[in-house]
Amino acid sequence: LSMKRVGYVDLTQKDVRAGVVHKGDAYFVTSSRPATVMRCPVDAMFHGDTFRPVEVTLALGEHKVQAIFVDHTDNHIVMGTYTQPSRIIRLVTPSMERSASLTLSPDDEMIYAGARWERHGIFVTSTLPGRLLKVSIE
């Protein structure tokens, strides 16, 4: 088993916080306020081509995205924010149209990571004590 770097592309002037690859596109989220979600065609990224990612800006208060995954329908990306309180945002792929969002209770803050489990998102908070949150993604 071996690994090697096979290429790179300069993506943005902003810090990138999280990403996921889905159906030939890479979705990356910046640390800007509010966050920007970028959709980049993976095939075009590493051929020396100049390409511009498709970008969508999230709503005010939706920044510091730490978690991103594809939902159970295979048609959305779901994101969790490291904010107080945390927010869960779902976008349709590949259009990146907003399809749902949820602001959690004030005690459910600072999502640090997340993953899909069946029809749910399992998120962990960066709090003391840490919390595991189970969120229905329908």
Side-chain angles (χ1 to χ4, degrees), residues 26-120:
Y27 295 86
F28 295 104
V29 187
T30 70
S31 63
S32 57
R33 288 182 177 232
T36 298
V37 182
M38 298 176 289
R39 178 172 49 88
C40 309
V42 175
D43 286 342
M45 287 173 62
F46 301 108
H47 293 132
D49 300 333
T50 301
F51 78 97
R52 304 259 329 137
V54 176
E55 297 184 4
V56 65
T57 301
L58 299 180
L60 288 176
E62 296 176 347
H63 53 276
K64 295 184 182 177
V65 172
Q66 293 289 113
I68 184 171
F69 57 86
V70 178
D71 78 349
H72 67 283
T73 68
D74 204 37
N75 293 315
H76 302 87
I77 55 173
V78 178
M79 297 167 282
T81 66
Y82 187 83
T83 55
Q84 297 173 319
S86 289
R87 295 183 185 189
I88 310 296
I89 304 109
R90 185 175 67 185
L91 301 180
V92 178
T93 60
S95 69
M96 297 197 302
E97 292 177 32
R98 185 184 197 89
S99 64
S101 65
L102 172 67
T103 300
L104 299 175
S105 72
D107 293 336
D108 296 333
E109 59 186 19
M110 299 186 296
I111 288 176
Y112 197 71
R116 185 187 90 202
W117 178 64
E118 297 179 352
R119 295 175 175 262
H120 300 90

Side-chain angles (χ1 to χ4, degrees), residues 11-27:
L11 188 60
T12 179
Q13 297 297 321
K14 301 169 189 138
D15 181 32
V16 176
R17 292 288 175 141
V20 66
V21 176
H22 178 57
K23 295 182 179 179
D25 289 314
Y27 295 86

